[in-house]
Amino acid sequence: MTGRLTGAVAIAAAIPAVVLVGTGPVATVVGVAGLAALVAGLAAGRGAAVTLGSAGLFAATLAAGVEGVGAPTVVTASGATVVAWTVGRTSVDLRSDLSGTDARRLEATHAAGTTAIVGAACAIALLPRFLSISPSPLGLVLLLGGAIALTAALASS
Amino acid sequence: MTGRAVEPGVAATDRWRGIGAAAVLAGALGLVVRRPSLLLVSAIGVALLAYARAVAPPPLDLAVRRTVRTRSAEGDGSHLVRLTVENAGDATIPDLRLTDGVPPALSVVDGSPTIGTSLRPGTTAASTYAVDAREGTYEFSPVVVRGRDVAGVVERRDRIEAEDGSALESEADATLHAAPPLRASPVRHGGAATADATGEGVAFDGVREYRHGDAPGRIDWRRFARTGELATVDFREERTSTVVVAVDDRPSATVAPDADAQTAAERSLTAAAALVEALDAAGHRVGVARLGAERAWRSPGRGTAHRRELDDVLADRPPRSGARPDADLPDDAALDPDWLARRIDADAELLLLSPATDDAVVDLATRCEATGTPVTLVSPDPTDDATTGRRLARIERDRRLRTLRRRGVAVADWALGESIERATRRLGVSP
């Protein structure tokens, strides 16, 4: 059935995200709710529910970060959330666009490629830590300001 | 998917819409609560957006082919379409989606006219699907192609014509693979035959237990002499008969729903030729009659020369008049029942082909049934419900067919675009 493979991968990526950030009560509740919405969206073929569920997972990740969970955990959980969201949306799209087609090759390639890209993005994000860089507060603020400006520029164009 | 207008070109998909906002949110939150970990989460978003901006959609250098073939030998309009795509470029297309331009009038009954795959250079992918098509010619539209990068964030769209197989021609097949069921009951004939009737057309089919009322001529006396049991010999059902195939090709039968469709008279003549061939092949004695302005008659017989004569009589086509079923029909000579009755033998049966657009057909068939000639009517349907007048013509035709069935005539209503095989198959089933 079209979309099954990507759906399974999405759930497989979402579960570790929930587990990783399920340290505090808030993060756990929000994370589980997000996972439930994601699974429901995949089962019913509704893209909006998949996005909503992924947003819930992301909120749980942010909550965990606020509560002081370590950076590698938060970054990995965020990466897993992005993978679950992307691959889950693809699953829903395939079901509506190409229903009845055997697109497993496409789904496998997409899942693997997306994981690789997001994994690379996570590695880049964690680079400062691995290089044992401890930025000064000013440096941190400047870096953050630049990152936000860059993000805004990329997102708006 | 179908119906959505596709503009060839490159566009970003909305796959990662919201990542920018999420990244800003994470960064702002990290700043407010002073958690560096959240800043790093924001950095992920930045990196992904950079990828989305930098990545190019794959080139769509493709060779698309389409082959169409008839699915079944019965000519019931079922066709198989095979769509093949080959990556003629030298770059892998990680996310390739194709949708075939199926003509809107056709319905896909099996499979899906789509391909979704990841295609390396030089490799091919294919999809086969089945469509049902009534009689006619159908044009395929170009194939809609979409190619995306591996994450699915940018897309290149295009419309590609298939290299061949851009039209589908569906013909209601005009051949019969077996003779249609005939009216004459072989048991009735068998009962009248004498005990030593082992001539042509009567085939031994086994012995069964004697039933009270069986003709003494059919009792297996040898068995009785040997064992004292009464048993009756069964002859095989396929007793050969004498059949007259009569075609109503009066001007009132040269009608069709529109100017391009075959008229009822043309369909009758085509069907008559197929029926003559099938009946002759089954060993029956076949004759032909044409009941139109130019009457013709050939007595039932067998043999190659006889067949050729029959084919010649049927090959003479009437001119098209293109009349509609509700138009004022020319005042033509009524179907003269006497003319036909004088020529048909007592043991022959009548296979009549007529659209039943007037009551003369009902009179003829009723008269023949009443005088002991079994009648089977195969009636090409020239009506539709496009206008009130035509709906009326359809209702009246339905009424005539019902009347005939009530009077014992076997009737097969043959719809436009249907194969003759399918129409005559219904004769064996009681209504």
Side-chain angles (χ1 to χ4, degrees), chain A residues 75-76 78-84 86 112-124, chain B residues 16 19 44 47-48 151:
Chain A
V75 166
T76 309
S78 304
T81 303
V82 172
V83 170
T86 310
T114 304
T115 306
I117 290 168
V118 174
C122 291
I124 291 172
Chain B
W16 275 349
I19 282 232
I44 301 174
L48 292 179

Side-chain angles (χ1 to χ4, degrees), chain B residues 291-321:
Chain B
L291 307 172
E294 311 248 329
R295 292 209 189 114
W297 167 265
R298 291 291 179 279
S299 294
R302 285 205 196 93
T304 343
H306 182 74
R307 263 295 299 283
R308 260 201 300 266
E309 264 192 69
L310 299 183
D311 290 340
D312 283 343
V313 169
L314 292 174
D316 198 8
R317 294 281 154 139
R320 292 182 63 102
S321 80

Side-chain angles (χ1 to χ4, degrees), chain B residues 265-309:
Chain B
E266 287 173 352
R267 291 172 66 193
S268 296
L269 286 167
T270 310
L275 287 163
V276 164
E277 183 177 336
L279 290 165
D280 185 53
H284 302 287
R285 294 174 60 230
V286 190
V288 149
R290 285 181 67 157
L291 307 172
E294 311 248 329
R295 292 209 189 114
W297 167 265
R298 291 291 179 279
S299 294
R302 285 205 196 93
T304 343
H306 182 74
R307 263 295 299 283
R308 260 201 300 266
E309 264 192 69

Side-chain angles (χ1 to χ4, degrees), chain A residues 140-151:
Chain A
L140 194 60
V141 170
L142 289 175
L143 193 63
L144 177 65
I148 291 179
L150 186 61
T151 306

Side-chain angles (χ1 to χ4, degrees), chain A residues 58 61-63 65-71 74-76 78-79 82 85-87 89-90 93-94 96-106 109-114 117-118 121-122 124-126 128-129 140-141 144 147-148 150-155 157, chain B residues 1 4 14-31 33 35-51 53 94-99 111-112 114-120 123 127 146 148-152:
Chain A
F58 186 63
T61 310
L62 292 181
V66 165
E67 282 167 29
V69 174
V74 172
V75 166
T76 309
S78 304
V82 172
W85 176 46
T86 310
V87 174
R89 286 285 308 278
T90 304
D93 283 351
L94 285 177
S96 68
D97 266 357
L98 301 182
S99 65
T101 319
D102 178 9
R104 277 172 301 180
R105 231 186 127 85
L106 190 160
T109 309
H110 172 74
T114 304
I117 290 168
V118 174
C122 291
I124 291 172
L126 286 174
R129 276 192 64 94
L140 194 60
V141 170
L144 177 65
I148 291 179
L150 186 61
T151 306
L154 285 173
S157 53
Chain B
M1 182 61 207
R4 216 202 296 170
D14 58 352
R15 181 54 46 79
W16 275 349
R17 185 165 54 177
I19 282 232
V24 170
L25 175 66
L29 191 61
L31 190 58
V33 302
R35 297 288 185 198
S37 58
L38 294 181
L39 298 183
L40 299 183
V41 171
S42 179
I44 301 174
V46 173
L48 292 179
L49 283 173
Y51 165 84
R53 285 275 296 166
D95 183 325
L96 179 64
R97 307 179 194 194
L98 284 93
T99 307
S112 179
T114 51
I115 297 178
T117 185
S118 174
L119 214 54
R120 287 195 310 274
T123 56
S127 167
R146 294 178 298 157
R148 295 185 179 187
D149 68 297
V150 73

Side-chain angles (χ1 to χ4, degrees), chain B residues 125 231 249 269 394:
Chain B
D249 60 345
L269 286 167
R394 172 172 274 189

Side-chain angles (χ1 to χ4, degrees), chain B residues 37 62 206 319 371 377:
Chain B
S37 58
L62 302 167
T371 54
L377 172 67

